[in-house]
Amino acid sequence: MPPSPSPRPHGTEPPIRDRGDACPGALRLHSAADGHLARVRLPAGDLTVRQAETLADAADRLGDGHLSLTSRGNAELRGLPDGCGAQLAALLRDAGLLPSERHERIRNILASPLAGLDRHTPADVRLWARELDQLLCASNSATALSGRFLFVLDDGRGDVATLGGDVSLVAEGGWGLSGSGCPDGAGGSALLRVGDDPAALRIAGPDVPRAALAAAEAFLAAAEASGSGAWRVRELPDGYGLTARVVAERLHAAGIGAAYVAGTAYVAGAAGEAAQVATASAPYTAPAPYADSSAPGVIEGADGERALSVLAPLGRLSVGQWRLLTGVADADGVGALRLTPWRGIVIPGLSADTADARLRELSDAGLITDPASPWHRIGACTGRPGCAKSRTDVRADATASVRAGTPVPVACPDDGPVPGPGPGEGEGVPSLAPGAPRPDKHALRHLPVYWSGCERRCGHPHGAWVDVLATADGYRVSVVQPESPPAAPPAPATPATATSRAS
């Protein structure tokens, strides 16, 4: 599997891409040590019960009997045999999972998984995601996007806004936009950002999907002009960087109103001139008590409805576990599931009477249902035997470490030489490499822990995390901090009536 893309470190030269990206898809399979791999894009992580059953059938008939969940809310099938591509494509096409074969690898849309399910957020971002997907699949120019280009739609709680989107939109409350440079109307608004540019554009809600596509087209124009072959916004070389001001001109040309959000607001006027107006940013107000969309458990919604949020241990589910989830969604939910970027599944629409019992049933089946679980926030790459580049079976080592009560390898007495076999080669708990330091206890309590079989660190978390890296001498553990973290998105301007409206 190709390594996870990361923001370009500050001060480094951007890469020159002289070929297309190698990201796998549902039609372009990746050859791995355990067979072929297919990645099925699921915009906003949305699945119907029928689509989920199709994925289970594909994993059962063609794959290794498991499904992997990705950090973009997609699903992967592993262990696929040679020559299965046509059969797999037919299954996916029949279930509506391949609406456009030309666009199947670029349908990378993340959306807040709990939008509309807890008591304090609207469902608009999910509707935006569906419309954006339709626009992408109808766009000829969008086929030039790489399989790594990412759209992010955040419902205002900030859960996915910092997950490295190339085009990110953060929803604001359902309030009028008069005075902001955008037309007044229903549907709220969103703040659009590109790459790591801290400035934003305020967009009227009904225009969000078109604005997101226009921003992606602006990136393609910049990448072509630069001659760099950039796959992502952060890879554009100096002098060709994509900024909110550049995108604002593109939106104006498309007839989409946009208010520049910074110290003072910039608005592309009727004739394209820049006009200075009063700031479009409202003072920051304390956020509503949003549910934590990365945590497992029962989500309380309006009108007594509940949603279940569970996580897959190390991001992998057996077909049996997957079918159990699908059965709950069919029998007790609304016939839908949502995959999350934390390698989890949300099942909406349960009653208060059934939610707790179903959660216990899922827990008994081996799913993570409690934030206090030792498996919570523990992740791992594929490792051996599935990946030939891995030095060891990191998943087996991570499992041994968690079962021993430690999220990371234990240190040897006095940090002396590591006795016995190397990582993953034998019984017991894996050990640290000689002299390798341990991160402090605070980091272990609050940060995700990710085990990697090589320096590529495929699928690693964004932001700060505990890196457990296999080396020839054992594991080395460190805390990864972004060298140049992106600025936080501008605070959404929340209407004063947000509390009463949500209650």
Side-chain angles (χ1 to χ4, degrees):
M1 187 188 311
S4 300
S6 299
R8 173 162 57 103
H10 180 70
T12 62
E13 290 295 323
I16 300 297
R17 305 293 193 185
D18 56 2
R19 59 174 177 82
D21 72 274
C23 278
L27 301 177
R28 181 199 285 183
L29 306 186
H30 171 71
S31 180
D34 59 346
H36 293 285
L37 175 151
R39 182 176 298 159
V40 183
R41 263 68 173 189
L42 305 171
D46 283 340
L47 277 172
T48 65
V49 163
R50 177 168 175 256
Q51 290 171 334
E53 289 173 343
T54 296
L55 290 176
D57 290 343
D60 214 6
R61 293 185 211 166
L62 305 175
D64 64 359
H66 292 79
L67 293 103
S68 298
L69 311 185
T70 79
S71 60
R72 292 186 171 190
N74 296 318
E76 288 183 348
L77 305 170
R78 299 190 67 95
L80 300 169
D82 292 337
C84 75
Q87 186 178 357
L88 174 62
L91 285 171
L92 299 178
R93 192 181 300 113
D94 186 57
L97 291 168
L98 280 178
S100 173
E101 296 187 7
R102 297 175 60 218
H103 299 82
E104 65 99 2
R105 292 194 318 115
I106 67 160
R107 301 170 65 222
N108 296 304
I109 304 173
L110 264 183
S112 295
L114 296 188
L117 298 185
D118 61 1
R119 298 183 179 187
H120 301 285
T121 57
D124 289 10
V125 296
R126 316 289 304 186
L127 302 178
W128 292 343
R130 291 168 199 161
E131 185 176 346
L132 173 58
D133 184 42
Q134 293 171 356
L135 292 174
L136 279 173
C137 290
S139 169
N140 285 326
S141 61
T143 59
L145 292 171
S146 83
R148 297 186 179 186
F149 193 91
L150 178 63
F151 297 92
V152 167
L153 301 174
D154 190 294
D155 66 2
R157 77 184 70 214
D159 57 347
V160 295
T162 58
L163 296 185
D166 293 283
V167 175
S168 301
L169 290 113
V170 180
E172 298 183 290
W175 61 307
L177 302 176
S178 57
S180 70
C182 297
D184 192 16
S189 61
L191 295 171
L192 183 154
R193 295 179 66 231
V194 286
D196 294 333
D197 185 4
L201 300 173
R202 178 164 286 132
I203 310 294
D207 292 332
V208 162
R210 285 199 304 140
L213 178 58
E217 291 171 338
F219 160 75
L220 289 174
E224 183 179 7
S226 72
S228 66
W231 296 341
R232 308 201 63 189
V233 169
R234 295 167 185 84
E235 296 179 355
L236 290 169
D238 294 341
Y240 296 92
L242 195 62
T243 66
R245 292 187 186 278
V246 172
V247 174
E249 296 297 340
R250 186 96 181 192
L251 297 183
H252 168 69
I256 301 172
Y260 186 85
V261 180
T264 57
Y266 163 87
V267 182
E273 300 88 2
Q276 293 291 331
V277 299
T279 179
S281 297
Y284 176 73
T285 57
Y290 299 130
D292 180 358
S293 55
S294 68
V298 175
I299 310 300
E300 294 187 7
D303 302 324
E305 281 200 348
R306 301 289 188 269
L308 300 184
S309 178
V310 300
L311 302 174
L314 301 182
R316 290 269 280 172
L317 293 171
S318 68
V319 166
Q321 291 172 321
W322 183 270
R323 291 194 192 280
L324 177 59
L325 289 161
T326 303
V328 172
D330 190 27
D332 299 300
V334 292
L337 304 92
R338 300 179 180 183
L339 272 58
T340 81
W342 300 281
R343 296 178 170 87
I345 304 95
V346 173
I347 304 175
L350 281 77
S351 69
D353 294 336
T354 61
D356 288 336
R358 287 293 181 249
L359 193 69
R360 287 192 297 271
E361 184 179 353
L362 296 173
S363 177
D364 291 342
L367 297 165
I368 303 169
T369 61
D370 187 340
S373 166
W375 292 99
H376 187 213
R377 301 185 187 277
I378 306 296
C381 71
T382 297
R384 287 184 186 172
C387 178
K389 291 182 171 64
S390 179
R391 296 186 177 95
T392 183
D393 187 344
V394 291
R395 304 175 73 83
D397 288 348
T399 298
S401 190
V402 170
R403 288 176 176 170
T406 59
V408 300
V410 297
C412 296
D414 302 320
D415 282 330
V418 180
E425 302 174 348
E427 302 300 326
V429 182
S431 300
L432 288 174
R438 286 175 59 89
D440 61 43
K441 293 180 180 179
H442 177 82
L444 295 180
R445 282 197 303 267
H446 298 283
L447 295 180
V449 176
Y450 199 78
W451 293 63
S452 300
C454 74
E455 286 76 9
R456 290 153 56 96
R457 299 175 172 89
C458 295
H460 69 73
H462 286 270
W465 46 285
V466 177
D467 178 35
V468 183
L469 176 66
T471 72
D473 299 318
Y475 283 94
R476 291 194 178 275
V477 182
S478 62
V479 175
V480 174
Q481 298 281 358
E483 289 186 24
S484 180
T494 306
T497 58
T499 302
S500 60
R501 179 168 49 82
S503 60

